[in-house]
Amino acid sequence: MQPSSVTALGPGNQLLRNPSSAVKPGHIKRQYRLAEKLLAVPERTSAGRKPIRGAFLAFFSGISALTSRLRRQQQRSKTEVSGYREKSAEMNDPQILQSLQDSHRLRVKDMGAGGNCLFLSVALQVDAADVESMLLRSDVWRQALGHDLGQRWVSMNALERASALRRISMLDEADFISDLAVRCSRGEVLPDEVEWRVRELFKDMAEEFIGSNKTELAANIPGYDRQRIWDRVREVVRTTTLKGACEFVLKHADEYMATTGREGNWAGSSEMAAMARALQRTVIAYGNDWVTQDSVTLHELGPGTWQVQPYFQSWPLEKPDLREPIQLFQTHGGGHYQMLTKS
């Protein structure tokens, strides 16, 4: 199965696929808030000096110009989905894997199924340091996971790690839902990264509930008819407003997390986003993703040389992740994940 957000290749911009060069929308907003604080400083003058407020106005003007330029660059990126830089193409799994082998020396390793394939495929790509830093988040997390999880991580097998990663994802999703409820109750404009994650959760919830004929999204589609389920998911994602998505996510979050939190149950891109956030690691997924798209995107490296791009990518928000990303491959357009590792 399987965003973004995305869906998704990153908050706010689906076509900026290089984490080091992507401009995160929250950065621009923080610059505006800083400028507004600076502009609030009262005017003061002294002999031979210009008013401080004038300097702040110049600073704000520079930020505004930079923001406009970045937005124009992002808009151009959104429209340049074919031609010299990028194009879309229908590819099967062997073709995608061959491209990943040629360009990144990546190969797949199947870590097992049983509904735990996503977390099993992540388990060996997470180390004790990732887990230990995460436990500093709150007492609730330490009580739920054990304060010594970082110490135990090295000796845990893949299945034990997968179980812990599922709990970590649910804890992060619960925190996100709580924060979203507060923002919505205040009528706040959602930051781009929050909006992205809302839409990811809505899409995954839609697939879960449409497939099980639950909630107001149900359309009496048999659970085995994946194509009709995917078509229905695309329809509701396309036609549901952000406000409607927020209302649905808040209304059905407990039911969704109770289902997804069970061992052996399906999990997808929302849980990838949760792990990226919790572990402060970049998570990338390649392959087809029939629930969101009919083709894969390729980036031109040189004349006649094209590189497959991920269908999903999520970056940590607090700090840059300079390590090798957690990399996954989704088989047959949805339903099973495998670990990608350097050959």
Side-chain angles (χ1 to χ4, degrees):
M1 145 329 141
Q2 145 75 35
S4 121
S5 232
V6 194
T7 124
L9 297 172
N13 192 335
Q14 301 182 14
L15 298 176
L16 289 178
R17 292 181 169 81
N18 182 349
S20 63
S21 64
V23 178
K24 297 183 180 180
H27 294 174
I28 294 174
K29 293 182 179 180
R30 285 192 288 274
Q31 294 293 331
Y32 270 116
R33 288 196 292 269
L34 174 60
E36 288 169 352
K37 290 180 180 179
L38 292 174
L39 286 171
V41 176
E43 291 189 14
R44 293 179 304 197
T45 61
S46 61
R49 294 183 180 179
K50 293 182 179 180
I52 292 177
R53 186 176 178 83
F56 292 158
L57 284 170
F59 171 80
F60 186 85
S61 177
I63 291 296
S64 179
L66 174 61
T67 301
S68 298
R69 179 169 61 83
L70 292 175
R71 285 175 176 166
R72 287 195 298 271
Q73 290 175 349
Q74 290 179 337
Q75 187 60 41
R76 284 197 298 271
S77 296
K78 290 178 181 179
T79 58
E80 291 172 359
V81 294
S82 62
Y84 178 75
R85 296 184 61 190
E86 291 184 345
K87 69 177 182 179
S88 296
E90 295 183 5
M91 300 177 69
N92 58 32
D93 287 2
Q95 290 171 327
I96 296 172
L97 289 172
Q98 185 61 55
S99 175
L100 293 175
Q101 172 65 34
D102 294 342
S103 60
H104 298 298
R105 295 188 299 108
L106 291 174
R107 60 179 178 84
V108 292
K109 181 177 182 180
D110 198 295
M111 297 298 295
N116 295 316
C117 57
L118 172 60
F119 301 110
L120 284 168
S121 298
V122 174
L124 298 186
Q125 302 185 67
V126 174
D127 60 28
D130 299 326
V131 177
E132 286 176 350
S133 61
M134 176 200 65
L135 289 174
L136 300 175
R137 189 157 168 173
S138 73
D139 289 337
V140 172
W141 282 55
R142 286 188 290 276
Q143 292 173 5
L145 300 169
H147 68 278
D148 61 342
L149 179 62
Q151 300 170 13
R152 292 185 284 113
W153 192 260
V154 176
S155 61
M156 293 168 67
N157 61 38
L159 190 59
E160 291 170 334
R161 290 186 181 190
S163 179
L165 288 169
R166 187 184 290 272
R167 294 198 301 274
I168 288 167
S169 297
M170 294 303 100
L171 286 166
D172 188 84
E173 286 185 358
D175 284 355
F176 175 77
I177 293 298
S178 297
D179 176 71
L180 178 65
V182 172
R183 292 178 184 274
C184 290
S185 68
R186 295 173 178 172
E188 295 181 11
V189 176
L190 299 182
D192 288 354
E193 60 269 20
V194 175
E195 177 182 339
W196 169 77
R197 196 162 173 189
V198 167
R199 295 189 184 279
E200 276 303 293
L201 263 172
F202 177 72
K203 173 181 60 63
D204 281 358
M205 285 185 177
E207 186 173 2
E208 174 67 41
F209 293 135
I210 291 170
S212 56
N213 273 308
K214 295 179 179 178
T215 76
E216 56 269 35
L217 299 182
N220 295 318
I221 301 174
Y224 61 80
D225 195 340
R226 303 307 300 172
Q227 188 58 58
R228 287 182 62 195
I229 291 173
W230 293 334
D231 289 344
R232 172 63 176 160
V233 172
R234 290 193 190 193
E235 176 190 356
V236 299
V237 167
R238 184 179 64 253
T239 59
T240 302
T241 64
L242 176 59
K243 182 175 183 292
C246 288
E247 292 173 349
F248 185 90
V249 165
L250 292 174
K251 179 180 179 180
H252 297 287
D254 288 344
E255 182 179 3
Y256 174 79
M257 288 188 291
T259 301
T260 309
R262 290 199 300 264
E263 291 295 323
N265 194 80
W266 163 91
S269 60
S270 293
E271 288 66 54
M272 292 186 214
M275 286 187 282
R277 174 71 173 82
L279 300 168
Q280 289 298 292
R281 294 283 304 279
T282 300
V283 178
I284 298 175
Y286 293 92
N288 283 299
D289 187 46
W290 300 140
V291 75
T292 61
Q293 57 198 37
D294 296 316
S295 59
V296 297
T297 300
L298 298 102
H299 179 213
E300 187 176 27
L301 299 180
T305 304
W306 296 87
Q307 183 183 80
V308 168
Q309 299 298 298
Y311 73 83
F312 173 88
Q313 185 162 323
S314 182
W315 299 291
L317 297 179
E318 278 78 11
K319 59 183 179 180
D321 180 16
L322 303 180
R323 300 176 55 189
E324 191 74 18
I326 295 170
Q327 300 185 92
L328 306 164
F329 183 77
Q330 179 173 243
T331 67
H332 308 301
H336 184 60
Y337 294 100
Q338 297 173 320
M339 180 173 70
L340 282 171
T341 182
K342 291 286 186 181
S343 59

